[in-house]
């Protein structure tokens, strides 16, 4: 009952004219950036951080959350009509959705995607509403040792899952941790890694780093490598509504996709990529029309799209209850909280209940708005694909430059922006993920703080991390995350070698 009362009070906050308008702007902008290839929610939220510094925190965060799950809706349009995933989480959608479009069933593919996204997003938000209070109760039992262990788990899982290899992910993480050390030591006041530059005494601004990595780095990469091909957009043919048979084949994949997406969103496993692939594999195995997979099976669109949107709701669970980001966009939303002097976690539910519950309530409203925006207005979103890429990315670069300079009116921030942008370009070029850099930068100082507190409590005894049951369990899970995949690869390699050794010449 307390949860329902809190939710109703959240609706009172979310339905105010200002917050309703910001929520509408957020989901509309999110849909637009989801449609545009290469322009994701992480880049968009990073660009808007400087411009929203003077906003009311509740309204700004409602808008940022709207951009996040709005992009999950919009990404399917590009995947289906252009065979170019607007987001990495919609790669699976492109496999079947584009084949449906080539067969003249683009309308049905877009409809099952939009309705499935609505169903999964709403169920995910209901789960977020009622599971969050229990997660908060557990989090309140955490001490410094437990928090440090959970952050180590987040570091390892995000780094190991994202990118072409765990080694590259961990390299990106350690780069972020190193950048996070720049500035004055919070306890001793000693300058660290400042190289005698006064502007570095306050550390690197998270907003400048985020905009540099995602906006400048992405723009340079697109200008260098992705401006040569000619994209072919599939034409919309037939009705945009689903037939009775389409509904019959879609509703179970929607529910199964939601069951995959929400739990994976809650754990630090890199976002929606894994549950979308699991959903696709499951639907292919369970479908009575398995022969259609690879040729345009509607289940191959319905399930992964539901998993994608459910994971977006799940991602907000660890972010709001523990302050742990599990995706790049969540890391930037965490930076937005910190921009307003707020630290997500269990105490925020007590100190800022109107913000937390207003944000959750806005997700119910946003899902309804997104359904109304995506189905009838699909023709409008398709027209966005006609924007020339040079103009689009030039605009992003100008906006990034103005935003970075506007933070402190400092030429040093501009130099830093483009220096980090070049770093982001090199990382993108060599397939080194940038999300672990941001996670390391944001969580690094917090983990250092919790580590020092734990040592202060134990009077320097490191065994506190393995003698506390929760901390020891989390560290054991972290070790398994590192060891099990490597052991599995080793076994597979040995099996392959054994088969090759015994094969006839």
């Amino acid at each position: 009952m307390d949860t329902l009362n809190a939710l109703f009070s959240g609706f009172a906050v979310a339905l105010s004219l200002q917050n309703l308008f910001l929520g509408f702007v957020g989901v509309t902008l999110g849909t637009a950036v989801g449609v545009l290839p290469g322009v994701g929610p992480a880049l968009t939220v990073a660009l808007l951080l400087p411009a929203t510094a003077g906003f009311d925190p509740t309204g700004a965060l409602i808008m940022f959350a709207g951009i996040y799950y709005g992009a999950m809706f919009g990404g399917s349009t590009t995947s289906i009509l252009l065979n170019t995933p607007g987001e990495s989480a919609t790669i699976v959608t492109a496999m079947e959705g584009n084949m449906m479009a080539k067969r003249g069933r683009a309308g049905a593919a877009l409809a099952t995607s939009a309705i499935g996204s609505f169903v999964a997003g709403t169920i995910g938000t209901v789960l977020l509403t009622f599971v969050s209070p229990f997660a908060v109760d557990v989090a309140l039992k955490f001490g410094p040792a437990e928090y440090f262990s959970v952050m180590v788990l987040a570091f390892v899982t995000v780094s190991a899952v994202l990118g072409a290899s765990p080694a590259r992910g961990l390299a990106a993480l350690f780069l972020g941790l190193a950048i996070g050390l720049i500035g004055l030591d919070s306890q001793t006041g000693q300058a660290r890694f400042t190289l005698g530059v006064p502007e570095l005494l306050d550390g690197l601004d998270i907003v400048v780093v985020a905009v540099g990595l995602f906006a400048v780095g992405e723009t340079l990469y697109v200008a260098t490598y992705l401006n040569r091909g000619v994209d072919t957009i599939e034409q919309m043919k037939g009705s945009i509504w689903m037939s009775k048979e389409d509904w019959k084949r879609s509703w179970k994949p929607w529910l199964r996709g939601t069951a995959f997406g929400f739990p994976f969103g809650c754990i630090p496993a890199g976002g929606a990529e894994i549950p979308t692939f699991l959903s696709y594999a499951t639907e292919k195995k369970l479908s009575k029309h398995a022969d259609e997979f690879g040729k345009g099976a509607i289940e191959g669109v319905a399930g992964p799209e539901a998993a994608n949107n459910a994971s977006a709701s799940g991602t907000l669970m660890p972010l709001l209850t523990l302050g742990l980001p599990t995706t790049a966009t969540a890391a930037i939303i965490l930076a937005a909280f910190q921009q307003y002097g707020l630290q997500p976690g269990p105490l925020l539910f007590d100190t800022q209940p109107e913000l937390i519950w207003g944000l959750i309530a806005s997700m119910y409203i946003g899902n309804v708005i997104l359904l109304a925006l995506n189905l009838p207005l699909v023709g409008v979103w398709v027209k966005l694909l006609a924007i020339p890429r040079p103009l689009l990315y030039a605009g992003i670069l100008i906006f990034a430059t103005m935003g970075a300079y506007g933070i402190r009116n400092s030429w040093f921030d501009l130099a830093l922006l483009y220096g980090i942008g070049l770093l982001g370009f090199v990382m993108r070029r060599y397939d080194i993920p940038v999300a672990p850099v941001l996670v390391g930068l944001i969580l690094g100082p917090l983990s250092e703080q919790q580590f020092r507190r734990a040592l202060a409590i134990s009077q320097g005894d490191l065994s506190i991390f393995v003698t506390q049951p929760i901390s020891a369990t989390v560290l054991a899970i972290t070790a398994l995350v590192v060891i099990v995949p490597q052991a599995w690869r080793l076994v597979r390699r040995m099996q392959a070698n054994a088969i090759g050794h015994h094969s006839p010449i």
Side-chain angles (χ1 to χ4, degrees), residues 296-310:
I298 195 168
E299 297 92 337
V301 177
E305 274 301 300
N308 181 13
N309 280 267

Side-chain angles (χ1 to χ4, degrees), residues 101-349:
K102 289 181 186 298
R103 290 168 51 193
R105 284 176 45 77
L110 290 166
T112 193
S113 170
I115 297 170
S117 296
F118 170 76
V119 170
T122 302
I123 294 173
T125 307
V126 170
L127 291 171
L128 175 65
T129 302
F130 291 99
V131 177
S132 288
F134 294 103
V136 167
D137 290 339
V138 173
L140 286 171
K141 297 174 183 175
F142 281 19
E146 286 79 9
Y147 266 113
F148 175 76
S149 299
V150 169
M151 288 180 189
V152 170
L153 174 63
F155 288 150
V156 171
T157 50
V158 170
S159 303
V161 171
L162 296 176
S165 71
R168 293 180 186 183
L170 288 170
L173 171 69
F174 286 123
L175 176 62
L177 291 172
I179 293 174
L181 290 174
I182 295 173
L184 294 177
D185 186 292
S186 59
Q187 289 191 5
T188 65
Q190 180 70 37
R192 300 189 297 191
F193 304 111
T194 58
L195 305 175
V197 179
E199 287 85 356
L200 291 178
L201 289 174
D202 289 333
L204 297 190
D205 192 290
I206 293 171
V207 176
V208 174
V209 175
V211 174
L213 285 175
F214 287 95
V216 179
E218 182 69 21
T219 300
L220 294 175
Y221 182 79
V222 169
T224 307
Y225 294 106
L226 301 182
N227 61 348
R228 297 163 190 164
V230 177
D231 295 323
T232 303
I233 302 174
E234 298 296 334
Q235 297 299 312
M236 286 285 297
K237 299 173 185 175
S239 171
I240 66 165
W241 301 108
M242 296 164 61
S243 66
K244 185 177 179 181
E245 178 67 15
D246 290 335
W247 280 92
K248 186 178 178 182
R249 290 176 60 179
S250 294
W251 72 271
K252 288 180 182 178
W254 290 339
L255 297 180
R256 284 192 289 261
T258 305
F260 278 119
F262 187 81
F264 269 92
C266 291
I267 61 176
E273 290 82 358
I274 293 175
T276 53
F277 276 98
L278 284 175
S279 174
Y280 180 81
T282 302
E283 297 311 322
K284 188 175 182 179
K285 188 173 183 179
L286 296 178
S287 176
K288 296 177 181 177
H289 307 86
D291 56 310
E292 289 187 23
F293 277 79
K295 303 173 185 175
I298 195 168
E299 297 92 337
V301 177
E305 274 301 300
N308 181 13
N309 280 267
S311 78
S313 301
T315 297
L316 292 177
M317 173 84 73
L319 180 65
L320 295 178
T321 59
L322 291 171
L324 290 178
T326 57
T327 64
T329 310
I332 297 175
I333 293 175
L334 176 57
F337 272 97
Q338 293 177 347
Q339 177 176 267
Y340 297 111
L342 302 169
Q343 179 57 46
L347 295 180
L348 199 63
F349 278 75

Side-chain angles (χ1 to χ4, degrees), residues 45-63:
V45 175
L47 281 176
L48 289 174
L49 282 179
T52 55
F55 279 33
D56 170 64
T58 304
L61 290 165
I62 284 174
M63 182 173 71

Side-chain angles (χ1 to χ4, degrees), residues 428-481:
R428 184 87 160 78
R429 167 65 181 82
Y430 292 101
D431 202 16
I432 300 172
V434 295
V437 177
L438 210 57
V439 172
L441 172 64
I442 294 173
L443 290 187
L446 296 176
S447 63
E448 179 189 14
Q449 187 181 53
Q450 299 295 348
F451 181 75
R452 284 176 159 178
R453 285 179 179 172
L455 289 183
I457 291 170
S458 67
Q459 297 181 340
D461 186 1
L462 285 170
S463 65
I464 187 174
F465 297 106
V466 293
T467 54
Q468 300 289 333
I470 297 176
S471 175
T473 303
V474 173
L475 289 177
I477 294 170
T478 305
L480 289 174
V481 168

